[in-house]
Amino acid sequence: MSASARSTGSPSAARTARLAVKTSRRTELRNITADIADIVARSGVVSGVCHVYVPHTTAGVTINEGADPDVARDIELTFDRLAPRNAAGYQHAEGNSDSHVKTAIVGSSQTVFIEHGRLVLGTWQAIFLCEFDGPRTREVLVRSVPDAAV
Amino acid sequence: MSASARSTGSPSAARTARLAVKTSRRTELRNITADIADIVARSGVVSGVCHVYVPHTTAGVTINEGADPDVARDIELTFDRLAPRNAAGYQHAEGNSDSHVKTAIVGSSQTVFIEHGRLVLGTWQAIFLCEFDGPRTREVLVRSVPDAAV
Amino acid sequence: MSASARSTGSPSAARTARLAVKTSRRTELRNITADIADIVARSGVVSGVCHVYVPHTTAGVTINEGADPDVARDIELTFDRLAPRNAAGYQHAEGNSDSHVKTAIVGSSQTVFIEHGRLVLGTWQAIFLCEFDGPRTREVLVRSVPDAAV
C-alpha cells in the first residue's frame, strides 16, 4: 500500500499520527485498514477508542466491505450518480461541487473501538479513505484515545 | 423490544456492551434508544460520551425522530430511492450493493453525550439501527466513556 | 455571527457548552467554526477531542469548505434534489420528511481533534450547522474532552 505513517513530534499531541494516502482516480474508495491498524498497534493503547479524521473538503472516510473490491466500486458508481459532476446550477467555480457534496454525505471522521490493543472491526469491515477529487495525495489523522483511569 | 444486552467479560474492555437486534424487513429503521439508555445506566458513567457502533457493512446507525413512526418509514422510502436495489451497473455479485451504499450514507457509528448518568438526546431524538439487508439479527456495540479525571 | 454560548452550570457536565444558532432559510449551511473554536479555547483543553452535537431531527452538522460560500450553496442545492420536499409517498403529516432524510444523511455529530488548545481543521475546513427546516433558532452542544492522564 502506498501509505506511510509518522508520529507527531509534539508531546502535547502524542496520540495523533498522520498518514499520507496516494489516490489514483477521481472517485476512489481506498482501503487504509492496515495502516490504521498499524498506527493503533504502535500507539500502545490497549483499550479505548480510535478516531480517524480526514482534514480535506473533497475527501472523507467510511467503513464498508473490504473483501470484495466490487463493493467499493459500486459505492463509487452510486455516489457519482447521487451528485453528478456537471449537474445544472452549481455556482462554485472550481468545478468540483459534486466532490464537496459526496464528502458531506460520507463524513470527515469515523470512530472505531480498541480492545486488546487492536481495532474492533466486524468480519467484513474495512476503513476506506474516500477520494472524491483525485488523483491526489491525501492526509489522514489518527488519534488513539485510551480509557481514562477509573 | 426484541433486543438483549450483555457486558463483555474482559476486564480490559469493561466499558463495551453488545446488543443483539432482530430486524423484520429488508430496509428498516429500528428504534434502539431504550436498550442504549439501559446500557448507559448500567455502565455507571455519570458524565462522558457514549459511542454506538454497528460492526456490519449492510447496516448502520442514525439518530432521528422517534415520536412519529412515519418519519422512519419516509427515511426508509427515500433511501430505497437514492440507492435502488437493481440499479444498472452494479458489479458486486451478492445483489446487495444498494445496502452497502445506504450504510455508507448513514454511517457506522453515532456519538451521544452522557450527563447525570443519562443520554443527552433532544426532545424528538431516538437512536435507530438502520437495517438495509434484512431481516437478520444484528449486533450493536456500545461504549460508555467517562470523563477523564482532571 | 448571531450565536451565543454559555457553559452549563452543572459540575458533573462541566465540559459541555451550549450554542444557540439562528438560521434564516429553510435549507441553510451556517458556518459556526468561530463559535466552536471560541468554546474550545475557553474549555482550557490543550490536547483532546471536541464533539459537536446537534439535538434536533431536522438539522445536523457537517464539515466542509468555508472559504467560498458557493460551496455551501451547492451542497444545499444538491441535498434539496436528493430529498425533494414534495416527493410522492411521504406519510409523515408535518410535510418535512425531506428535512429528516437530509439530517440522516449528514448526521447529528462531528468529531474534531484539539491540539495546542485549538481545533485541528484542514486549511479549507469549516464546521457548519445544517438547517433543513428553517428558519429557526437551533441548539448545538459542544463537548471538549481532554486526553486522559497516562
Side-chain angles (χ1 to χ4, degrees):
Chain A
M1 197 168 296
S2 60
S4 64
R6 59 178 174 80
S7 290
T8 54
S10 160
S12 68
R15 297 190 191 90
T16 298
R18 281 163 173 79
L19 181 72
V21 181
K22 214 168 188 158
T23 60
S24 56
R25 288 179 282 118
R26 187 169 189 271
T27 300
E28 176 184 3
L29 268 66
R30 192 166 190 90
N31 191 332
I32 57 172
T33 314
D35 300 282
I36 307 295
D38 188 49
I39 288 171
V40 168
R42 281 184 289 122
S43 76
V45 174
V46 175
S47 179
V49 165
C50 173
H51 299 290
V52 180
Y53 185 87
V54 175
H56 301 284
T57 59
T58 55
V61 58
T62 198
I63 295 175
N64 215 289
E65 182 180 324
D68 177 2
D70 282 341
V71 171
R73 294 305 282 256
D74 289 352
I75 294 174
E76 295 166 7
L77 173 86
T78 307
F79 271 71
D80 283 345
R81 286 176 178 165
L82 289 172
R85 186 172 185 174
N86 298 310
Y90 288 149
Q91 296 296 317
H92 182 50
E94 291 183 31
N96 62 354
S97 290
D98 64 307
S99 317
H100 290 285
V101 169
K102 291 164 193 163
T103 301
I105 295 175
V106 297
S108 300
S109 70
Q110 295 291 337
T111 297
V112 183
F113 300 167
I114 302 172
E115 289 181 9
H116 311 294
R118 302 176 62 169
L119 288 171
V120 181
L121 290 169
T123 311
W124 306 106
Q125 284 186 318
I127 305 170
F128 292 88
L129 172 90
C130 302
E131 173 64 80
F132 292 124
D133 195 22
R136 298 203 201 182
T137 297
R138 299 294 196 169
E139 192 177 35
V140 179
L141 310 185
V142 184
R143 201 166 176 94
S144 304
V145 181
D147 294 334
V150 184
Chain B
M1 196 168 296
S2 60
S4 64
R6 58 178 174 79
S7 290
T8 55
S10 160
S12 68
R15 295 190 192 91
T16 299
R18 281 164 172 78
L19 181 71
V21 181
K22 215 167 187 160
T23 61
S24 57
R25 288 179 283 117
R26 187 168 189 272
T27 301
E28 177 184 2
L29 267 66
R30 192 167 190 91
N31 190 333
I32 57 171
T33 314
D35 300 283
I36 307 295
D38 189 49
I39 288 171
V40 168
R42 281 184 289 123
S43 76
V45 174
V46 175
S47 179
V49 165
C50 173
H51 299 290
V52 180
Y53 185 86
V54 175
H56 301 285
T57 59
T58 55
V61 57
T62 198
I63 295 175
N64 216 289
E65 182 180 322
D68 177 2
D70 281 342
V71 171
R73 295 305 281 257
D74 289 353
I75 294 174
E76 295 165 6
L77 173 86
T78 308
F79 271 71
D80 283 344
R81 286 175 178 167
L82 289 172
R85 186 171 186 175
N86 298 310
Y90 289 150
Q91 296 297 317
H92 181 50
E94 291 182 30
N96 62 353
S97 290
D98 66 306
S99 317
H100 290 285
V101 170
K102 291 163 193 164
T103 301
I105 294 175
V106 297
S108 300
S109 70
Q110 294 291 338
T111 298
V112 182
F113 299 167
I114 301 171
E115 289 181 11
H116 311 293
R118 302 175 63 168
L119 288 171
V120 181
L121 290 169
T123 310
W124 306 106
Q125 285 187 319
I127 305 170
F128 292 89
L129 173 90
C130 301
E131 173 63 81
F132 293 123
D133 195 21
R136 298 202 201 183
T137 297
R138 298 295 196 169
E139 192 177 35
V140 179
L141 309 185
V142 184
R143 201 168 176 91
S144 304
V145 181
D147 293 334
V150 184
Chain C
M1 196 167 298
S2 59
S4 64
R6 58 178 175 79
S7 291
T8 55
S10 160
S12 69
R15 295 190 192 91
T16 299
R18 281 165 173 76
L19 181 72
V21 181
K22 215 169 187 157
T23 61
S24 57
R25 287 179 283 117
R26 185 167 190 273
T27 300
E28 176 184 3
L29 268 67
R30 192 166 190 92
N31 190 333
I32 57 171
T33 314
D35 300 283
I36 307 295
D38 189 48
I39 288 171
V40 167
R42 281 184 289 124
S43 76
V45 174
V46 175
S47 179
V49 166
C50 173
H51 300 290
V52 181
Y53 185 86
V54 174
H56 301 285
T57 59
T58 56
V61 56
T62 197
I63 294 175
N64 216 290
E65 182 180 323
D68 177 2
D70 281 342
V71 170
R73 295 304 282 256
D74 289 353
I75 294 174
E76 295 165 6
L77 172 86
T78 308
F79 271 71
D80 283 344
R81 286 176 179 167
L82 289 172
R85 187 171 184 174
N86 298 310
Y90 289 149
Q91 296 295 317
H92 182 49
E94 291 182 30
N96 61 354
S97 290
D98 65 306
S99 317
H100 290 285
V101 170
K102 291 163 193 163
T103 301
I105 294 175
V106 297
S108 300
S109 70
Q110 294 291 338
T111 298
V112 182
F113 300 168
I114 301 171
E115 289 180 11
H116 311 293
R118 303 176 61 169
L119 288 171
V120 181
L121 290 169
T123 310
W124 305 106
Q125 284 187 320
I127 305 170
F128 292 89
L129 173 90
C130 301
E131 172 64 80
F132 292 124
D133 195 22
R136 299 202 201 183
T137 297
R138 298 296 196 168
E139 192 177 37
V140 179
L141 309 185
V142 183
R143 202 168 175 92
S144 304
V145 181
D147 294 333
V150 183

